[in-house]
Amino acid sequence: MTTVLSVDDVTKRFGGIVAVDGLDLAIEEGELVGLIGPNGAGKTTTLNLITGFLDPDEGTVSLNGEDVTGASPDAVSKRGIGRTFQISKPFGRLSVYENLLVPNVSCGPAEQEARIERLLEELQLEEVRENRADELSGGQKKLLELARVLMLEPDLILLDEPAAGVNPVLMDDIMDDIRRINANGTAILVIEHDMSVISELCERVVVMNAGRNIASGTFEEIRDDEKVREAYLGGT
Amino acid sequence: MTVLETLRSGIARTGDRLVEDARSRNGIVFAVLALLALLAPQLVGGYTLDLLTQLIIAILVVTSWIFIAGYFGMFSFAHAALYGIGAYATALLAGKAGVHPVLAVLLGGVVAGIFAIPIALPVLRLSGAYVGMATLAFAEIVYRLAIHFRGLTGGPTGYTGFPPLLGGSRLALYYFVFALVVVLLVVQYGLLVNRFGLVARAIREAPDAARMLGNNVPRYKLVGFVVGSAIAGVAGGLQIYTVLIISPPMIEVNRMIEFMAMGIIGGLRTIGGGIFGAVIVFGLNEGLRDLGELRLVIWGAMLILVTIYFPDGLADSSLDPRDRLRELLNRE
Ligand SMILES: Nc1ncnc2c1ncn2[C@@H]1O[C@H](COP(=O)(O)OP(=O)(O)OP(=O)(O)O)[C@@H](O)[C@H]1O
Ligand SMILES: [Mg+2]
């Protein structure tokens, strides 16, 4: 197996707060990994460090073996990383269709068109294709963000809380979509507070607390881990 | 795709969109206005024709501000200053360096584009109100420098030592301005209906997402800011030939507020909004000239009415009262 993403001993401070503290994290090709941890554990900050929205104070981030520490988000995207945001960021006044034209694809216009049609169908956005993105429901916005990322056919997708604000019926669909995307060979890292989502989806789960990787294993393993219990009960 | 292919498909798309938009309500309004503008010299002359020339120039300034503020969401207060830099550059190049006036107008645009770079660099890193503050500071510095460097700019009383454009013919100037403005409107329109405009709008809505989808957002914003500013510089160069003087009042913050009022009243979502806004505000301004400072009150009232009843400006709102009422009642 080859390693798609490797975060090595990364630290990020905001003034006095150490948001990420000597973090190690690796994702292998085709894996579906869950990243959990209490509020403020540093999960979103970790995504920002991987995708170049923040520069680490210490440590390195590598993608497919290449050091990308300090690279810009667009450069990281070009290296095959897709990402959605904890708070959806649709292009509100653009139509759903126009939203899918924004990803800077490397293929030609015909292939781009074909991808858009396929994704509109697969992610059930066909009926709202001409609607403005800010008219969509919370769940549809998540689907649109996923579709936008898939336009780029990335090797690894980072999902920041895909279940937040989504109704349970649509969430089942989104989970099926995540499984299908992963089955096609795309590695996925999913941050989620909803443990049923994590336990159903992920073959491996990483637990963060206070900026550190405190446990890693199957859902059953980390559920029975003493350090994980302590972290969730508030003691650090 | 090669550069040539991109250019060719971009031009083809611009043509298609132009044909499509020409059939819309605004398209018809603009066609009628253009026809009237072409015939105007048969109907009016003298001072009125000069005013029309200035209106057409104002349209160019406002559309180029919409290019930056409406599409990218960079709410710049530096636009009137960059328009002024273009004006001073044109006047000095033509008056002191002996450059041909037509070339001086185009070079005025280049100079404004170059001066836009140092102000664009901080703007790329800022958002919201901070963009306003940084650009306002820049505008104030330009205004002070124009007054301070008397030897170069003529100081507070301005500079008049440049030759007229096209031999000083009012009619020739009018048609020259009209033609150049139409060309530059089409250039802006062409950029905005292609990928450049799509990414600009995406950046306005969610810059981080646009970036994470592989678009070099700082580069887009830099190009947008510089191109819009260069076009304002050309407008400044044209303006000095209608008033035959360049002086600091041309770049005061009041002028900026006037351009912004035009943009907001007309609508920031399309280039056409600049045409609506400039015609309405300019028309009112001239029509109500006798009222003096009271005009500011009328503008203020108009701005409030438009932002309440036509949040997308006049160009992008249906003018049917039933639609207006419906939208007002449905708003969250
Ligand atoms: N830009 C910032 N400036 C200052 N502090 C920050 C910044 N971003 C995050 N933090 C702090 O870093 C810590 C980690 O935040 P982060 O958002 O990464 O947590 P999280 O694990 O994603 O939490 P949640 O589950 O609530 O989303 C928190 O204490 C947060 O307040
Ligand atoms: Mg978070």
Side-chain angles (χ1 to χ4, degrees):
Chain A
M1 271 203 294
T2 52
T3 306
V4 192
L5 168 73
S6 173
V7 173
D8 296 300
D9 203 10
V10 162
T11 296
K12 180 69 191 177
R13 299 182 197 88
F14 295 112
I17 303 170
V18 188
V20 173
D21 189 2
L23 181 74
D24 289 310
L25 177 70
I27 298 182
E28 308 298 329
E29 203 173 57
E31 258 194 316
L32 207 176
V33 181
L35 179 60
I36 65 170
N39 291 112
K43 304 179 296 294
T44 298
T45 304
T46 301
L47 288 207
N48 285 336
L49 290 164
I50 295 168
T51 52
F53 285 99
L54 292 171
D55 287 340
D57 294 317
E58 285 155 37
T60 55
V61 177
S62 328
L63 299 174
N64 295 315
E66 268 183 274
D67 188 346
V68 295
T69 319
S72 66
D74 40 303
V76 169
S77 156
K78 293 244 169 62
R79 284 169 198 264
I81 307 296
R83 174 201 175 164
T84 66
F85 294 87
Q86 182 165 352
I87 298 164
S88 301
K89 294 184 190 285
F91 304 124
R93 285 167 175 274
L94 275 60
S95 70
V96 166
Y97 187 85
E98 285 178 312
N99 265 263
L100 297 180
L101 286 171
V102 176
N104 186 11
V105 292
S106 50
C107 62
E111 166 66 14
Q112 181 184 30
E113 186 80 16
R115 278 186 204 172
I116 293 179
E117 294 305 329
R118 198 186 65 229
L119 287 167
L120 283 173
E121 157 135 28
E122 282 177 6
L123 298 182
Q124 297 160 56
L125 292 166
E126 188 60 54
E127 271 169 29
V128 291
R129 61 188 288 153
E130 294 305 330
N131 291 41
R132 266 168 53 159
D134 55 11
E135 293 168 352
L136 302 181
S137 72
Q140 285 174 321
K141 284 180 184 160
K142 297 273 181 193
L143 284 170
L144 175 59
E145 282 205 297
L146 193 57
R148 276 190 331 207
V149 165
L150 290 171
M151 283 298 295
L152 295 166
E153 303 198 328
D155 304 327
L156 168 65
I157 302 180
L158 312 168
L159 300 171
D160 201 346
E161 303 200 15
V166 179
N167 78 57
V169 179
L170 197 52
M171 194 53 223
D172 281 343
D173 290 339
I174 292 183
M175 278 165 59
D176 286 342
D177 293 328
I178 292 175
R179 272 193 210 98
R180 192 185 61 242
I181 294 160
N182 179 245
N184 290 340
T186 309
I188 297 178
L189 177 72
V190 50
I191 295 178
E192 192 46 71
H193 283 294
D194 184 336
M195 288 305 153
S196 63
V197 171
I198 292 289
S199 67
E200 278 183 50
L201 274 183
C202 304
E203 56 225 38
R204 183 161 75 88
V205 182
V206 174
V207 189
M208 274 185 84
N209 188 37
R212 303 183 144 271
N213 178 341
I214 59 164
S216 172
T218 65
F219 184 75
E220 287 69 27
E221 283 165 4
I222 59 112
R223 190 186 52 197
D224 299 333
D225 188 303
E226 200 54 37
K227 279 181 299 203
V228 175
R229 283 166 179 254
E230 271 175 35
Y232 271 93
L233 290 172
T236 40
Chain B
M1 280 204 291
T2 67
V3 175
L4 208 65
E5 275 170 357
T6 311
L7 198 65
R8 196 174 299 144
S9 78
I11 290 171
R13 177 164 169 76
T14 307
D16 291 348
R17 279 293 300 267
L18 212 49
V19 170
E20 209 176 291
D21 283 351
R23 298 204 191 96
S24 68
R25 179 199 76 191
N26 288 355
I28 293 165
V29 171
F30 296 149
V32 171
L33 285 178
L35 200 67
L36 281 175
L38 278 173
L39 297 176
Q42 314 292 324
L43 309 170
V44 299
Y47 177 62
T48 313
L49 194 60
D50 282 349
L51 279 182
L52 281 181
T53 312
Q54 289 176 31
L55 166 59
I56 295 170
I57 294 168
I59 286 174
L60 188 60
V61 183
V62 181
T63 55
S64 60
W65 183 65
I66 290 174
F67 191 88
I68 295 172
Y71 278 80
F72 283 90
M74 298 185 278
F75 229 73
S76 168
F77 280 77
H79 212 61
L82 289 156
Y83 159 81
I85 287 172
Y88 273 105
T90 302
L92 297 175
L93 285 168
K96 300 200 173 176
V99 174
H100 189 279
V102 171
L103 184 60
V105 168
L106 301 179
L107 288 176
V110 174
V111 172
I114 292 170
F115 272 81
I117 295 171
I119 178 66
L121 294 178
V123 165
L124 302 186
R125 292 161 192 277
L126 302 172
S127 63
Y130 296 101
V131 171
M133 292 205 278
T135 50
L136 193 59
F138 175 83
E140 190 60 22
I141 292 169
V142 171
Y143 179 69
R144 301 275 160 204
L145 291 179
I147 291 176
H148 183 76
F149 286 105
R150 273 169 202 281
L152 192 64
T153 65
T157 52
Y159 174 69
T160 55
F162 53 91
L165 188 77
L166 306 171
S169 154
R170 216 171 223 154
L171 191 66
L173 178 66
Y174 176 81
Y175 279 119
F176 177 73
V177 166
F178 179 79
L180 189 54
V181 169
V182 167
V183 168
L184 290 175
L185 288 181
V186 172
V187 168
Q188 293 183 82
Y189 177 85
L191 282 169
L192 294 173
V193 297
N194 277 288
R195 179 164 183 87
F196 184 82
L198 178 81
V199 176
R201 285 155 61 221
I203 290 172
R204 177 189 74 209
E205 300 294 326
D208 289 347
R211 207 156 183 209
M212 197 60 235
L213 293 168
N215 300 292
N216 190 334
V217 169
R219 194 167 68 200
Y220 271 96
K221 285 170 97 173
L222 178 67
V223 171
F225 198 90
V226 169
V227 168
S229 301
I231 292 173
V234 171
L238 291 173
Q239 176 71 4
I240 64 165
Y241 289 109
T242 70
V243 290
L244 297 173
I245 180 171
I246 168 68
S247 60
M250 190 171 151
I251 59 172
E252 269 172 357
V253 74
N254 279 352
R255 294 291 293 155
M256 187 66 233
I257 291 170
E258 201 177 315
F259 293 138
M260 288 178 144
M262 290 176 179
I264 292 166
I265 288 171
L268 296 176
R269 304 284 163 234
T270 55
I271 280 293
I275 303 178
F276 268 84
V279 169
I280 291 166
V281 173
F282 198 95
L284 270 182
N285 222 2
E286 290 307 322
L288 303 175
R289 190 161 279 284
D290 295 341
L291 293 181
E293 292 297 300
L294 207 58
R295 284 178 306 174
L296 290 177
V297 177
I298 293 178
W299 278 8
M302 256 197 92
L303 264 177
I304 293 169
L305 284 176
V306 166
T307 41
I308 293 175
Y309 293 102
F310 302 92
D312 288 330
L314 298 178
D316 297 303
S317 306
S318 157
L319 299 181
D320 184 334
R322 283 165 301 180
D323 288 343
R324 302 277 29 102
L325 195 65
R326 200 173 303 134
E327 156 145 9
L328 198 64
L329 295 176
N330 285 341
R331 208 169 306 154
E332 298 114 64

